[in-house]
Amino acid sequence: MLWIMSQDKQSLINVKEVSVEGKKIVGTSNEWNKALGKYDSNERGLVILHEIYTKIEENSGFSVTFTMPIK
């Protein structure tokens, strides 16, 4: 289970998938998708996606929480 606090701190979202779409990071479930954060470049989005992946690896099999960075 992956819980992500959105960049604007207005939403705590349980997501099944996280992807980079241009400068945005988007979380999806079976019924919806939502922008979790917007960054200066696609490359910065990929760095953050890697941070999320690392956090998941560190907590193998347990519930994971991640807060989207401001920048």
Side-chain angles (χ1 to χ4, degrees):
M1 185 177 299
L2 175 59
W3 289 92
I4 296 185
M5 175 72 73
S6 62
Q7 186 180 38
D8 64 6
K9 310 290 188 261
Q10 299 295 310
S11 300
L12 180 62
I13 305 160
N14 184 338
V15 298
K16 289 191 173 217
E17 181 179 327
V18 179
S19 58
V20 178
E21 296 180 5
K23 296 180 180 182
K24 293 181 183 176
I25 296 182
V26 176
T28 59
S29 78
N30 291 337
E31 296 120 27
W32 50 262
N33 62 14
K34 179 170 176 70
L36 302 172
K38 185 175 180 183
Y39 297 95
D40 291 336
S41 67
N42 177 267
E43 291 76 19
R44 177 63 178 145
L46 292 172
V47 167
I48 294 168
L49 183 64
H50 183 74
E51 290 176 14
I52 294 169
Y53 173 76
T54 300
K55 181 92 173 192
I56 293 168
E57 273 194 324
E58 291 171 355
N59 293 287
S60 59
F62 294 101
S63 183
V64 176
T65 60
F66 186 84
T67 301
M68 298 301 290
I70 299 298
K71 293 185 178 194

